[in-house]
Structures are given as structure tokens and as C-alpha cells.
Amino acid sequence: MKSLFSFVLLVALALSAAAQTPAWKGKFEQLDQVLPTPNSYRTGSGAPGVSYWQQRADYVINVEVDDNTQVLTASETITYHNNSPETLTYLWLQLDQNIFADKNMTTETKTGAVRDSVPAGFFGMMTGAETVDYKGGYTIKSVKDAAGKALAHTINYTMMRVDLPAPLKTGEKFVFSVDWSYKEYNRQNFSGRGGYEYFPEDGNYLYTFAQWFPRMCVFDDYEGWQNKQFLGQSEFALVFGNYRVRITVPSDHIVGATGTIQNPKEVLTKEQIERLEKAKKTFDNPVIIVSQAEATEKEKTRSAKKSTWEFYAENVRDFAFAHSRKFIWDAQAVKVGDKAPLAMSLYPKEGNPLWEKESTKAIKNALEIYSERTFIYPYPVAYSIHTANQGMEYPMICFNGSRPNKDGTYSQQKLIGLVQVVVHEVGHNYFPMIVNSDERQWTWMDEGLNTFLEKETVRVRYPELYGTHGTPKGIVPFMKGDKSQMRPIMTNGDDMRYNEFGANGYTKPSAALTLLRETVMGPELFDKAFKEYAERWAFKHPKPADFFRTMEDASGVDLDWFWRGWFYTTDNVDIEVADVKWFRQRSDKMDPESKEVKTKQGDLSSGKKDGPSTDFSNGPQEFSMINTPEQFYGEFRSKIDDNAVRKKLEGKNIYQVKFKNVGGLVSPLVIEWTYKDGSKEIERIPAEIWRINETEVTKVFVKDKEVVNILLDPNFELADVDTNNNGFPKKASASKFDQFKKNN
Ligand SMILES: [Zn+2]
């Protein structure tokens, strides 16, 4: 309960502070109007509601890749389940390969200027000009219903609308098929995901097929059809389903794909099957399924025969595959909860010795840490496929780039690069493959959360490789940048500059989550809430508010100010230790009963030296604590023991510190006190300190020992962009003092 006394005092303090405060911007206010209104699909707690629904699409696909022409020819049968409460009259599919079609919005809308001495390989990327002879994009040969009757369809760049012959009601399904082909692209010409690499020394190809089939768009409660065009930067939004895919390739190729091999006896040798069985029971080290010697031998010949590999995958949102004659193959089982998924790597000899040492091990580390922090990895396999320069994720399979030098040596940077990329891309199984967010709209929901857990995996499992990637310290150079060019994290990925896309999508949200875990919430509350979010939205489609709300709901920590500052603005953290005053209670001459020694109320500096100080050299200023005037008690009979208060604070060092929020981003305070005896103490103050005044606060600290130094954010955990104003005595004054000493 508040006494009248403290109320009067608070009003007086508030009035005196109000005069100097800049305009209030509501940095501590709730996000009420910013977030969508909760409903029965998505609740105010951030969980799926009682009426939550989602669509489903099952695929059966037959695909063949011609190793001579690099043309993919395929046909798919899609069973689309309408679980929505709406009746549908048309469906939308994504035709992402059309980003390489003659007419594509990416090059049509590319902006950029000609520069002198521009590398030829970058000219197309910078200007949108066609610089390589490649005719890509889908050739859609037919779209038919289950009876083989042609369906009317319209292609709108990377989207295709299929008109339904009859309205598709709630609970009904529609079966239709699409036949298509396209020529795969050489990955070195495009920074695209997928593609092939040609190895001139042995004349072989290594294929990674991605976005290779017409895929159903998401239709949901939030926005109906997600049909934002694929422009290249923002990724995909996809529905869950089961996939049966038959992949026909030359019979001397090894194939890796989303899902498990259904016909091992048809495509593997007896020896390979035995080795694979051994791998399923081997948890300590990878078992070699195809050795380097065997793969190198195969490079020299060309089989004229074909093999069809059949894969089956349940409850996945996409399907990708890779194949090559050059693949070495290793595998080992990983124990996560009651499951033992198989971690596997496919790589050519060019990846060794780095890959055989590190790839499968990194899959294992990722699966273990992510399973701890979210939920047990539910899929039976996790592949890591070698490429020269990719980092791209699909369910159960990812394409990773980091290649040693030709002589097999590799730098520490290449090692870090491989560990990071494998952990990251395997980690994407969680975000967005299972916690199935809309990548086309919100890059941070998968990349940000995943970069955070990637960094955590490296921190826990590879402490020697752990750096500042995705940490508060690491994001400082970006946060310091030109705000006129910046966009908040809550911006569509296609609507920001490329270099900002990396920070906003990946490292800034990761740094923010790190700050949230280590400084704002603490690991225990954070980990529980993060796990809650992952479990609630596993195999569902979360939106930003579902994450924001769940993190609050499961932790009991009000985080609206945090989401507001870090996700909805371009503010940065820059807290200044603006002023420090040192006080001690005047004790010796004072007679507390005397009314004559009464100091003027509010003037606690006793008229000695006022204005900002720069160090502690003037010693403490004295102040008096007079008796509490009778009138403050009103009708209360019981009174404060003024002498006890004076006694409690007798001889104590009282520090009055003024903090200014220069960067605008509300932040907790981490203060390091260094005492005269050399000892240190870290004090943590929640961000709620800014709730009354978001730009400037003054706080009093009582210390037994004399303080010689105050330092804000000593361990760089706040992402404070200017540490020059974090200390007291002030740095400038210290140098002035040195100057003074020199001159005298
Ligand atoms: Zn990623």
C-alpha cells in the first residue's frame, strides 16, 4: 500500500522531471493495436485456437533427370484436402522455377546502376541484365483432373491458378495432376537455391533439385491464399502432406532425398544395404556406405542403365533431392529421446577430408541440441549434401557449402563455415519445416529463430569455434548504421536492401533472442517459453503474434516493449551514464531533533557543488535527513522511526546515477560496480526502469563500499552501440586528468 507521504513525493518528482522530457513515444506501451485481434483460430495466449485448421496436400511424383541434358521431366498427382470452413472455387500453386523464365518479375523490377570496373559475374545481379544463356522456367505440359480432363489454369509469373470444375466444400478433397519439364541451371551462374555443379576434371555432375515441382500455396485463416510472388529473396510458404516420389537417374548415381528409401534392394548393392543396417545401430561414429575409393572409381565410367529410387515422407511441407555419381556416403544413428534418426552425408571427394570428419557430426550435434530446446526430431533421416557454395534447407535434407583447398587443407574459417552451415540448415528442419511459418512474408520467423539455435548449438558443442555471430555484440556494427536506410525486422524480406536482409532476417533477431534469454528473461524462463512456442506450433502455421504472445504467456514476462523496440523499430540500444553524484549522510554535527539544521527540501546537494561531475575526486557530498514532518502522517498513528532510517544509512555511500536512453531502444541495465578494494559487483536492472520516462531516469544506489568505477554493459550483452558513454569516471575527463598531470 502506498502512503500519502510517498504519493506526494512521487507527484513532486514526476512534475520536476516532466519539464525536460522529450516527446513521449510510447516505447513501453502494450502492442494491443499493433497485433491482430485474437480469435478462435489464434488465441490471445499465442496458441492455436479451438477452431484452428490448416490445409493439406499429398503428392505422388514421378521424376526423371537426364544426365546428358540436365533436363528434369516429371508428373505429379496432388490430393488437396480442403479443411477450411470456406468453399473453394480455385486453387493456387507456386511455380518458383518461373523466376528463371523469360518473363519474370525479378528482372523486370530489378533496380541498379552501371558502374565502372564491375566484375562480369555481378553485372546481371546488379542490373537485371541477362548475362548468361540459360532458358529456365517451367514448361507446363498439362493440368488434368483425376479423370484426365484438362483443367483451366492461368499462370501469373511464379503462381498458377487452377480453376476447379466444381466448388470444393469443407472436408472435401480434389485430385489433379500436372506434367512439366525444365532445364536445371548451373549453380555458379545464379545465387539460386538448387541447381547443378559440373566438375570438368572428371566430367561429372552433382545435382541439387529444389523448388522443382509445382507446389500448393498456403491457404489459411490469416490471409486466404498466400500468393505473394517469388522474387528471389523471401522464401516459401507451404502446406504439409505425404510424399511418394520416384526418382529416375543413371544407375550409377547415389540419390539422397526427403524421406526414406522404399526400394533399397533395387537401387543399392547388398554390401551397401548391410553397411546401412550397421549405421542404424552405430551411434558413436559415421559408418561409410560408399567409400571415397568406390566413388572415385565410379567417376570414370558412365552407366547406360537407369534406376528408379522411391522415397516416402510423411508430414513434410516440401521435397528436395540430390544425386551424383561422385557421392561418398556416410551415416550414423543419433539418439534423441525415444528416436534414433539416421544422420547422413553425401559428398564428392572434393569435400574431403573436411566432410568425412565434420558433416555428419554436425548433423548429430544440431539434432541433439535442437531436440533439447524444442521437441524431439520427428523425422527418420537427416541428410547433409555437399555443394561448393550453398546453404539451403528442405525437410530431412539440406545443401551445404564449404569446400577444402585442392590439396585437402582447410582454414579455421572453412571449418567454422561448414559447422555453422550444417547446423543451420539441419536446424531448419525445425524452423520453418516443422514450425511451419510463412517465409515469403516473415524471414525472421525461420531464419532468426534458427540462427539463434544454430549459435546456441555452436556455443554448447563447439565452444572453440564460438564467436560473435548472431550475438548482441556481433550486431552492433549493423545497429549503428544509417537509420534512414534501415527497415525494422517486421518488414517483408523482398522490401529491404540485400545487406540489410541478412541482418534483419538472421543476426538481429538472433541477437535480440540472445539478449532476451541471457539478460531480460534468464535461461530458465526463456527456454521454457521458447520450447512452448515450438511445441504449440509444430506441424502448424504460426504468425509473428503467435510467437510474441507465447513467449510472454509462457514466461510471465511482459515483453511488449521488447518486441516493439527490437522488431517494430530501427532504434538501437545506446545508454549513457550521464551523471553520477556521490552522497553521504551528514551525521556528526546534526541534532535530528533540532528544527534549525533543516535543509531546504529538494536541494540534496546542500549547495556545495552542483551540475554534472566527471569523477569521484571531490569526495562525497553531505546531505541531511530531517525528521518526517507530522502532517505527512495524517490520521495514521504508527510513525516511521526516523532515527532507525538514519542509522541504517549511516556511513553508507549513496550514488545517484542518471541514465539517458540515447539510442531510443528500451533496455535493461547491466551495471558493473568496481570498489576501492578492487572487488567488483554486477547489478542487473530490468527494462521496466524506463516505464515512466523512456528517455532519462535517475536512480539511487546504496553501497557499503566506496565506488571507483561504474561501467554499463561490461560484457557486451546489451548491444549498446556506443560504449564510450557507458562509464564513470567519464573517459574524456580521465584523459583530461592525464593531460593535467602531464602539464604540471
Ligand atoms: Zn537459413
Side-chain angles (χ1 to χ4, degrees), residues 341-372:
L342 208 49
M344 298 190 271
S345 297
L346 298 177
Y347 42 94
K349 63 179 187 302
E350 285 77 3
N352 268 341
L354 178 60
W355 271 67
E356 64 183 18
K357 273 193 209 150
E358 302 292 343
S359 175
T360 298
K361 186 172 128 194
I363 302 175
K364 172 183 182 283
N365 284 323
L367 293 183
E368 287 173 349
I369 297 295
Y370 279 68
S371 292
E372 253 174 58

Side-chain angles (χ1 to χ4, degrees), residues 235 391-393 424-425 428 431-432 439 446-448 450-451 454 506:
E235 295 183 314
M392 193 53 210
E393 69 277 11
H424 181 96
E425 307 309 341
H428 270 306
F431 311 99
E439 299 176 273
D446 68 301
E447 297 300 355
N450 186 42
T451 301
E454 167 212 324
Y506 296 68

Side-chain angles (χ1 to χ4, degrees), residues 54-74:
Q54 67 191 21
Q55 305 294 66
R56 168 175 196 90
D58 297 325
Y59 296 78
V60 175
I61 313 179
N62 293 309
V63 53
E64 180 167 350
V65 179
D66 187 328
D67 192 34
N68 297 314
T69 61
Q70 288 69 56
V71 170
L72 173 149
T73 306

Side-chain angles (χ1 to χ4, degrees), residues 427-629:
H428 270 306
N429 275 293
Y430 287 83
F431 311 99
M433 298 306 154
I434 297 171
V435 180
N436 189 350
S437 59
D438 177 354
E439 299 176 273
R440 186 64 51 84
Q441 188 60 44
W442 306 116
T443 303
W444 69 268
M445 285 194 78
D446 68 301
E447 297 300 355
L449 271 54
N450 186 42
T451 301
F452 166 72
L453 277 191
E454 167 212 324
K455 172 197 71 69
E456 285 291 280
T457 305
V458 173
R459 183 174 68 80
V460 176
R461 290 297 166 88
Y462 301 89
E464 71 285 2
L465 304 182
Y466 184 65
T468 59
H469 174 72
T471 66
K473 190 178 182 183
I475 201 63
V476 164
F478 171 75
M479 299 295 281
K480 260 188 205 173
D482 177 3
K483 286 191 189 178
S484 70
Q485 296 286 313
M486 268 188 204
R487 301 288 178 271
I489 290 176
M490 285 293 288
T491 306
N492 182 276
D494 284 305
D495 302 347
M496 53 180 94
R497 293 168 304 142
Y498 183 73
N499 59 342
E500 193 180 358
F501 175 75
N504 267 342
Y506 296 68
T507 46
K508 182 177 169 185
S510 170
L513 293 176
T514 305
L515 200 160
L516 206 51
R517 181 177 194 265
E518 305 302 329
T519 310
V520 177
M521 299 167 81
E524 195 187 351
L525 286 175
F526 177 93
D527 290 350
K528 273 192 178 157
F530 195 82
K531 199 176 179 59
E532 180 72 27
Y533 166 73
E535 284 172 347
R536 278 180 176 181
W537 290 98
F539 297 106
K540 295 194 173 68
H541 299 284
K543 305 292 177 184
D546 301 322
F547 177 69
F548 297 150
R549 285 174 165 144
T550 297
M551 290 301 287
E552 283 197 353
D553 198 72
S555 69
V557 182
D558 176 13
L559 297 170
D560 284 44
W561 61 271
F562 186 85
W563 309 130
R564 188 183 279 284
W566 277 92
F567 286 73
Y568 288 90
T569 77
T570 56
D571 286 350
N572 57 35
V573 174
D574 181 12
I575 309 294
E576 178 190 355
V577 177
D579 187 31
V580 178
K581 284 187 165 56
W582 175 18
F583 294 104
R584 248 186 225 150
Q585 190 187 171
R586 183 182 292 119
S587 57
D588 46 356
K589 289 170 229 142
M590 179 161 168
D591 169 12
E593 301 302 321
S594 161
K595 301 270 192 282
E596 281 141 45
V597 291
K598 181 176 166 184
T599 317
K600 205 169 75 190
Q601 196 183 337
D603 177 17
L604 295 181
S605 62
S606 5
K608 201 178 171 186
K609 178 194 146 228
D610 211 355
S613 36
T614 52
D615 57 33
F616 295 108
S617 59
N618 288 334
Q621 300 174 53
E622 292 193 324
F623 73 101
S624 306
M625 270 194 278
I626 59 164
N627 283 340
T628 310

Side-chain angles (χ1 to χ4, degrees), residues 213-255:
F213 59 103
R215 304 179 293 177
M216 291 305 307
C217 295
V218 170
F219 178 79
D220 69 15
D221 59 285
Y222 200 76
E223 59 183 331
W225 287 105
Q226 159 57 285
N227 45 21
K228 207 167 166 50
Q229 291 288 336
F230 182 42
L231 295 174
Q233 199 154 279
S234 289
E235 295 183 314
F236 314 105
L238 297 153
V239 293
F240 289 107
N242 298 341
Y243 284 70
R244 186 170 298 279
V245 181
R246 298 179 194 99
I247 304 163
T248 302
V249 295
S251 65
D252 49 0
H253 279 215
I254 291 290
V255 185

Side-chain angles (χ1 to χ4, degrees), residues 293-305:
E294 288 161 345
T296 310
E297 199 51 40
K298 273 202 292 184
E299 283 181 357
K300 297 169 192 160
T301 57
R302 301 285 179 272
S303 173
K305 283 191 258 165

